[in-house]
Amino acid sequence: QVQLVESGGGLVQAGGSLRLSCVASGRTFGNYAMGWFRQAPGKAREFVAAISWTGGVKIYADAVKDRFTISRDNAQNTVFLQMNDLKREDTGVYYCAGRWTATISRDLSGYGFWGQGTQVTVSS
């Protein structure tokens, strides 16, 4: 089993930045593709970004492209999401998730293990 713990969320003004971290424990971390998802109140959970196990391939949702950056440090068993130029519509609970495979995906159903989430609130 792999356990994921997110941190770094909080309250920020529009235009500000936050850096989310997701630390994994349990089985070897480096072989898994990882992703970030978010869920706003009353809405379905949606894809934000994903990264291959090598870190060489990254994909983003159109809504966050050019503002968010996903990265990973396999030596530290950690995945990051750097969020810049935050907007009110970025508000939600952000979840880190992993796939039991090295390849990335936008599909929520393809992720087999999840963290408990961290709240991000962007005020105007």
Side-chain angles (χ1 to χ4, degrees):
Q1 294 296 326
V2 177
Q3 292 78 42
L4 301 176
V5 178
E6 303 96 334
S7 63
L11 175 63
V12 63
Q13 287 190 330
S17 298
L18 284 174
R19 189 191 197 203
L20 306 184
S21 299
C22 170
V23 179
S25 61
R27 293 173 60 181
T28 303
F29 178 64
N31 295 329
Y32 309 137
M34 300 295 295
W36 285 96
F37 292 78
R38 67 187 181 186
Q39 188 165 18
K43 295 187 177 181
R45 195 170 299 187
E46 65 178 6
F47 170 77
V48 175
I51 186 168
S52 64
W53 78 273
T54 65
V57 181
K58 304 174 185 181
I59 55 174
Y60 298 92
D62 288 343
V64 307
K65 197 173 183 180
D66 299 326
R67 298 188 297 121
F68 291 10
T69 302
I70 189 171
S71 61
R72 67 190 295 164
D73 181 344
N74 289 344
Q76 299 296 323
N77 292 349
T78 304
V79 178
F80 304 97
L81 185 68
Q82 177 66 44
M83 306 186 295
N84 297 330
D85 189 23
L86 283 160
K87 307 177 185 301
R88 287 191 65 184
E89 52 264 39
D90 294 319
T91 294
V93 178
Y94 282 69
Y95 298 90
C96 175
R99 285 168 53 82
W100 299 113
T101 176
T103 57
I104 57 177
S105 173
R106 298 173 181 267
D107 186 355
L108 181 152
S109 66
Y111 287 76
F113 48 100
W114 293 79
Q116 293 186 330
T118 184
Q119 176 70 45
V120 171
T121 303
V122 184
S123 63
S124 58

